């Protein structure tokens, strides 16, 4: 039995069958047929104030749930404004489906009003994209888009739909099967390679788990925990992998890389075996690649074969879903029993070395009696979060301090733009996360730079009734750029001073909610508690030490064991 309906209604029927409950978007001329049927549909539309933020919000929804996020924009500038969010999702492997309107098929190529080659523009920044020119292709295309976005290595998929396809009438028939002969996903992992990995793990004296965003994407946190407990292996989680192993777990060291801890970076440098799970050996983790983990053999598990050997050649490559591969590996290791005493003694010595590194240079919450240190702010947020809140971060120094000092005891609590580093990400991503998880306490931690890229979304927060706690770490600078200019450009501060910032209380009041500015360290705890206890949204502007730098820091081109651990010390001049 088929039903006669418009293309716009077919689209919504497909979205409903995919379990979509909200769309983040901004309407325009060619998407009017879609918005007309959306008017009476149960799928909720969240009107953002800029299309880029629709993509970021869809990402926040997806990052917080694991479900596919959906965003929508009109043709031309609406579609091009989505592209930063699409690249962001592509870099961080986030499943979103972007729906864009296009001029009518007969006008494509004529430079019609608000026409852009969306299909061509987005080809390099999506996992796949479509231009639907026939109504009969629309249902299968939509279901394919969701399947491609969510399977294998997740990513963004764009579907460009001309206005006449939205308006056309046709008989809708549900799609019951998806046929993509050229699209193959390798999930199981090669049994022989998994056995080789198990043998290497049993023989290793200084093993280290290097776990990334693939653990979160695959839902493999349980298998990772079982693995580190079964083998008593120390573990680091990348910026994208935080929460993959609970921060409170005794085997968790910290984040590695450019702003990773001393212990994590020294462990990676001295390990004899890296068990790399759902990672891509990103330059921000590896530092100078030729000097990265020089003593280690590498087991690399990833669902994307293109990542295997891209930056570091593994000794044991395993293409597969990290959840399934770990389950098989755990079974093999459990069956093999305890190893020999020589290896066990070496492992104990390895753990003692790591504990020594942690004690030598710990990541600490720094406080002052006269000013609010950024680390103090993150420590207070951590205290109120208890490792259980959703924290959406913008990009910059605050992002690194948050990653260092806030605990995440389960996956999908830490949302940040990792690969692309998109300023303006934090607030719209928090909106998406709060829509997806209304039961959760959601913090949006922003710098004063990134916040001013997303101020219009305060209107979205209010109109949707979202109790997001917006915390601006205000140091009066584009802090990370200033840090580099200070350390490597002779303190020639160029284009980084943010010397005008709105009054937080008045700004929040203008949108109809509460806000406050805090400048004294003894006011901070109470102000944050007030924000958390407020039933609605809250804007807290926290003025912190202006010229504080994030440490440890690996300078560009340095090896990860060549860390700058603190500010340069003045050289004593002999009298």
């Amino acid at each position: 039995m088929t039903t006669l309906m418009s293309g716009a209604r077919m689209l919504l029927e497909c979205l409903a069958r995919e379990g979509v409950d909200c769309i983040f978007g901004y309407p325009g001329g060619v998407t009017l047929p879609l918005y007309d049927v959306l008017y009476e549909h149960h799928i909720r539309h969240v009107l953002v104030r800029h299309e880029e933020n629709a993509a970021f919000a869809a990402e926040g929804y997806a990052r917080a749930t694991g479900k596919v996020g959906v965003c929508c924009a009109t043709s031309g500038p609406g579609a091009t404004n989505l592209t930063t969010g699409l690249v962001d999702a592509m870099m961080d492997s986030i499943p979103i489906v972007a729906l864009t309107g296009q001029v009518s098929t007969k006008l494509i190529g004529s430079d019609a009003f608000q026409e852009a080659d969306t299909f061509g523009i987005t080809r390099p920044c999506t996992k796949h994209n479509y231009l639907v020119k026939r109504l009969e292709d629309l249902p299968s295309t939509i279901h394919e888009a969701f399947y491609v976005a969510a399977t294998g290595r997740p990513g963004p998929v764009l579907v460009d739909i001309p206005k006449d396809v939205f308006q056309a009438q046709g008989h809708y028939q549900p799609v019951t099967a998806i046929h993509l002969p050229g699209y193959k996903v390798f999930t199981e992992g090669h049994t022989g390679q998994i056995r080789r990995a198990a043998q290497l793990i049993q023989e290793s004296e200084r093993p280290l788990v290097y776990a990334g965003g693939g653990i979160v994407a695959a839902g493999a946190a349980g298998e990772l925990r079982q693995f580190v407990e079964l083998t008593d292996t120390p573990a680091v989680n990348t910026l994208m992998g935080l929460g993959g192993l609970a921060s409170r777990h005794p085997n968790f060291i910290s984040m590695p890389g450019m702003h990773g801890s001393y212990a994590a970076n020294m462990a990676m440098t001295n390990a004899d075996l890296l068990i790399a799970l759902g990672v891509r050996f990103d330059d921000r983790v590896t530092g100078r690649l030729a000097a990265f983990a020089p003593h280690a053999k590498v087991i690399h598990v990833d669902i994307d074969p293109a990542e295997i050997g891209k930056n570091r050649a593994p000794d044991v490559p395993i293409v597969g879903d990290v959840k399934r591969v770990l389950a098989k590996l755990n079974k093999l290791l459990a069956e093999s029993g305890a190893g020999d005493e020589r290896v066990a003694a070496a492992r104990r010595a390895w753990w003692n070395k790591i504990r020594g590194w942690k004690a030598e240079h710990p990541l600490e919450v720094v406080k002052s009696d006269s000013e609010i240190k950024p680390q103090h702010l993150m420590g207070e947020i951590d205290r109120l979060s208890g490792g259980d809140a959703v924290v959406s971060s913008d990009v910059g120094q605050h992002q690194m301090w948050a990653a260092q000092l806030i605990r995440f005891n389960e996956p999908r609590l830490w949302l940040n733009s990792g690969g692309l580093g998109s300023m303006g990400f934090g607030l719209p991503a928090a909106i998406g996360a709060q829509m997806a998880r209304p039961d959760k306490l959601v913090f949006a931690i922003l710098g004063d730079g990134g916040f001013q890229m997303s101020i219009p979304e305060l209107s979205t927060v209010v109109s949707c009734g979202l109790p997001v706690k917006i915390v601006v770490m205000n140091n009066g600078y584009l802090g990370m750029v200033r840090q580099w200019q200070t350390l490597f450009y002779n303190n020639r501060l160029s284009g980084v001073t943010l010397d005008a910032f709105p009054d937080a209380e008045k700004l929040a009041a203008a949108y109809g909610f509460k806000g406050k500015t805090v400048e004294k360290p003894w006011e901070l705890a109470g102000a944050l508690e007030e924000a958390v206890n407020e039933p609605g949204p809250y804007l807290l502007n926290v003025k912190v030490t202006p010229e504080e730098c994030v440490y440890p820091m690996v300078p560009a081109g340095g090896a990860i064991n060549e860390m700058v651990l603190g500010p340069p010390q003045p050289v004593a001049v002999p009298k």
Side-chain angles (χ1 to χ4, degrees):
M1 181 71 179
T2 62
T3 306
L4 184 66
M5 59 178 70
S6 69
R9 195 167 292 279
M10 281 187 194
L11 171 59
L12 292 183
E13 179 65 27
C14 294
L15 295 181
R17 288 173 180 267
E18 291 289 346
V20 174
D21 54 15
C22 73
I23 301 170
F24 303 91
Y26 205 98
V30 301
T31 57
L32 284 174
L34 172 61
Y35 278 79
D36 186 56
V37 296
L38 193 56
Y39 179 82
E40 55 190 8
H41 202 278
H42 74 270
I43 293 177
R44 184 174 182 183
H45 178 267
V46 176
L47 177 64
V48 296
R49 274 42 177 184
H50 192 284
E51 292 91 352
E52 177 182 88
N53 296 330
F56 287 154
E59 280 194 84
Y61 181 100
R63 290 172 190 256
T65 62
K67 295 169 61 178
V68 177
V70 181
C71 56
C72 179
T74 193
S75 61
T80 59
N81 281 342
L82 287 178
T83 53
T84 297
L86 296 175
V87 179
D88 194 76
M90 189 72 173
M91 291 283 281
D92 286 351
S93 304
I94 307 301
I96 65 171
V97 168
L99 306 168
T100 53
Q102 184 55 274
V103 300
S104 294
T105 51
K106 65 182 180 182
L107 296 177
I108 292 175
S110 71
D111 293 332
F113 177 66
Q114 289 193 332
E115 181 189 359
D117 180 13
T118 304
F119 181 75
I121 290 167
T122 61
R123 177 173 285 179
C125 60
T126 54
K127 186 177 176 183
H128 195 58
N129 67 352
Y130 300 86
L131 171 59
V132 183
K133 291 187 175 181
R134 305 188 314 158
L135 176 63
E136 52 266 40
D137 295 333
L138 183 60
S140 61
T141 300
I142 296 300
H143 292 299
E144 283 180 18
F146 276 81
Y147 178 74
V148 171
T151 55
R153 180 178 183 170
V157 177
L158 180 134
V159 183
D160 199 30
I161 306 170
K163 185 174 184 178
D164 56 318
V165 175
F166 279 131
Q167 293 173 317
Q169 297 283 324
H171 287 278
Y172 171 73
Q173 187 163 357
V175 175
T176 57
I178 293 173
H179 301 287
L180 293 171
Y183 179 65
K184 299 192 183 301
V185 178
F186 302 94
T187 58
E188 298 305 319
H190 189 278
T191 301
Q193 294 294 80
I194 295 172
R195 289 189 181 280
R196 284 184 61 204
Q199 183 177 353
L200 271 184
I201 290 163
Q202 288 171 319
E203 294 170 353
S204 167
E205 296 182 355
R206 302 187 306 280
L208 183 71
V209 169
Y210 162 34
I215 292 289
V216 177
E223 286 75 12
L224 176 60
R225 185 185 69 251
Q226 184 182 1
F227 175 83
V228 300
E229 291 174 356
L230 188 64
T231 59
D232 196 24
T233 304
V236 297
N237 285 356
T238 67
L239 183 69
M240 288 299 301
L242 290 173
L245 182 65
S247 297
R248 64 181 171 222
H249 197 284
N251 289 57
F252 174 67
I253 301 173
S254 69
M255 177 181 75
M258 178 172 280
H259 293 291
S261 73
Y262 180 79
N265 286 349
M266 292 302 291
M268 294 192 91
T269 302
N270 289 277
D272 68 356
L273 177 66
L274 274 189
I275 304 149
L277 305 171
V279 295
R280 56 189 180 90
F281 290 85
D282 173 66
D283 63 288
R284 291 291 164 124
V285 170
T286 66
R288 188 169 70 249
L289 192 60
F292 176 69
H295 313 294
K297 292 183 177 180
V298 173
I299 298 165
H300 191 183
V301 183
D302 203 282
I303 200 162
D304 184 358
E307 289 298 338
I308 304 291
K310 185 179 80 175
N311 292 324
R312 172 71 177 255
D315 297 272
V316 181
I318 303 174
V319 178
D321 180 276
V322 69
K323 182 181 179 73
R324 300 191 187 195
V325 171
L326 272 178
K328 293 178 180 178
L329 188 56
N330 288 342
K331 187 172 184 294
L332 278 176
L333 291 167
E335 290 170 351
S336 64
D340 65 54
E341 180 52 35
R342 181 188 60 81
V343 170
R347 294 274 185 98
R348 289 192 292 271
W350 175 231
W351 261 118
N352 287 337
K353 195 78 172 169
I354 289 171
R355 292 187 185 103
W357 288 323
K358 290 185 79 169
E360 190 177 350
H361 295 288
L363 294 173
E364 293 182 304
V365 174
V366 180
K367 294 184 181 181
S368 164
D369 293 332
S370 59
E371 56 189 356
I372 300 174
K373 292 288 188 181
Q375 301 93 326
H376 181 191
L377 171 60
M378 300 309 162
E380 288 298 321
I381 292 173
D382 175 65
R383 176 179 66 84
L384 293 169
S385 161
D388 190 48
V390 173
V391 176
S392 176
S393 165
D394 216 273
V395 172
Q397 288 180 310
H398 62 281
Q399 177 190 23
M400 296 299 107
W401 276 309
Q404 289 178 349
L405 298 170
I406 298 177
R407 292 164 295 163
F408 301 99
N409 287 327
E410 61 183 70
R412 304 199 177 280
L413 297 177
W414 169 241
L415 320 178
N416 81 118
S417 173
L420 191 62
S422 305
M423 287 179 66
F425 169 91
L427 182 54
I431 289 170
Q434 190 77 84
M435 287 291 300
R437 305 185 73 175
D439 57 314
K440 278 287 188 184
L441 172 61
V442 176
F443 287 100
I445 303 179
L446 318 172
D448 45 331
F451 173 65
Q452 292 182 90
M453 290 187 175
S454 54
I455 279 179
E457 298 309 327
L458 294 178
S459 181
T460 309
V461 168
V462 173
S463 65
C464 294
L466 302 175
V468 178
K469 312 309 173 188
I470 304 160
V471 182
V472 180
M473 192 199 83
N474 187 341
N475 59 11
Y477 289 107
L478 298 175
M480 190 61 84
V481 183
R482 181 208 56 77
Q483 176 167 334
W484 280 67
Q485 288 179 344
T486 297
L487 297 177
F488 307 116
Y489 291 86
N490 297 317
N491 204 35
R492 290 162 59 87
L493 303 186
S494 175
V496 292
T497 304
L498 299 172
D499 50 9
F501 192 82
D503 182 299
E505 188 171 354
K506 291 178 180 177
L507 178 63
Y511 283 100
F513 64 100
K514 293 181 180 179
K516 178 184 285 188
T517 294
V518 180
E519 300 185 58
K520 304 300 182 185
W522 56 86
E523 299 172 332
L524 180 59
L528 278 164
E529 287 166 10
E530 181 182 331
V532 168
N533 292 329
E534 173 65 29
Y538 201 101
L539 172 61
L540 191 63
N541 173 32
V542 183
K543 293 195 173 182
V544 301
T545 308
E547 296 185 351
E548 193 82 3
C549 290
V550 184
Y551 297 109
M553 179 185 185
V554 178
I560 61 167
N561 62 323
E562 298 170 349
M563 290 162 275
V564 178
L565 297 170
Q569 299 300 311
V571 178
V573 179
K575 293 182 180 179

